[in-house]
Amino acid sequence: MSGMGEVLAREALGLVGVPFRLHGRSVETGVDCVGLVALATWRAGHRGEAPDRYALRGGKLEQFEAWLKAAGLCRAAEMRIGDIVLVQAGMRQFHLMVFAGAGFVHAHAGLRQVVAMPGESPWPVLGVWRLPG
């Protein structure tokens, strides 16, 4: 386990309960899945950029992968604590979560907040990304 991954997981867990808001990037006004990852990585000391023009549905996998790479994240072969996990939550609907060890932290649109979800991902995992170092 990397120290940075543990810090990122801890920061993501600290955001549980933050309201959901599409394109949100703050604790006060809310976050979506991209905003959750951006805020947690920024709080962990990583200064990658986050996209701001995307929809909840209709995206392309290649675009999400390009955004993760542009944010300075590295593709990983296996999942470790603090990794960012790209999943397919529906038809042409991509979603980001942070692996926290016993489950995932993600911005849940239906529950309207950031939640900690125990267990394995209920959605197909398309890729695992990690902070450098």
Side-chain angles (χ1 to χ4, degrees):
M1 278 179 235
S2 79
M4 184 61 106
E6 291 173 6
V7 171
L8 176 57
R10 190 169 46 249
E11 292 297 342
L13 285 164
L15 296 170
V16 168
V18 168
F20 178 90
R21 184 172 69 88
L22 183 61
H23 300 139
R25 300 288 186 275
S26 80
V27 171
E28 294 79 21
T29 61
V31 297
D32 60 7
C33 68
V34 174
L36 166 68
V37 168
L39 199 53
T41 59
W42 295 338
R43 287 177 164 204
H46 181 74
R47 295 293 169 235
E49 292 186 31
D52 60 0
R53 295 181 188 259
Y54 54 88
L56 283 178
R57 291 179 176 80
K60 294 184 178 180
L61 177 60
E62 298 80 16
Q63 184 63 58
F64 274 83
E65 290 176 333
W67 285 331
L68 290 163
K69 188 174 181 181
L73 303 174
C74 307
R75 187 114 191 197
E78 78 290 336
M79 200 179 307
R80 295 192 295 199
I81 291 176
D83 283 348
I84 292 103
V85 181
L86 176 62
V87 299
Q88 185 165 355
M91 184 65 133
R92 290 182 38 149
Q93 181 181 356
F94 303 104
H95 186 54
L96 297 174
M97 305 188 297
V98 177
F99 181 57
F104 298 87
V105 178
H106 71 108
H108 195 297
L111 296 176
R112 307 299 301 162
Q113 67 178 336
V114 175
V115 299
M117 177 180 65
E120 295 184 16
S121 172
W123 306 291
V125 173
L126 303 175
V128 177
W129 296 79
R130 183 170 297 148
L131 291 174

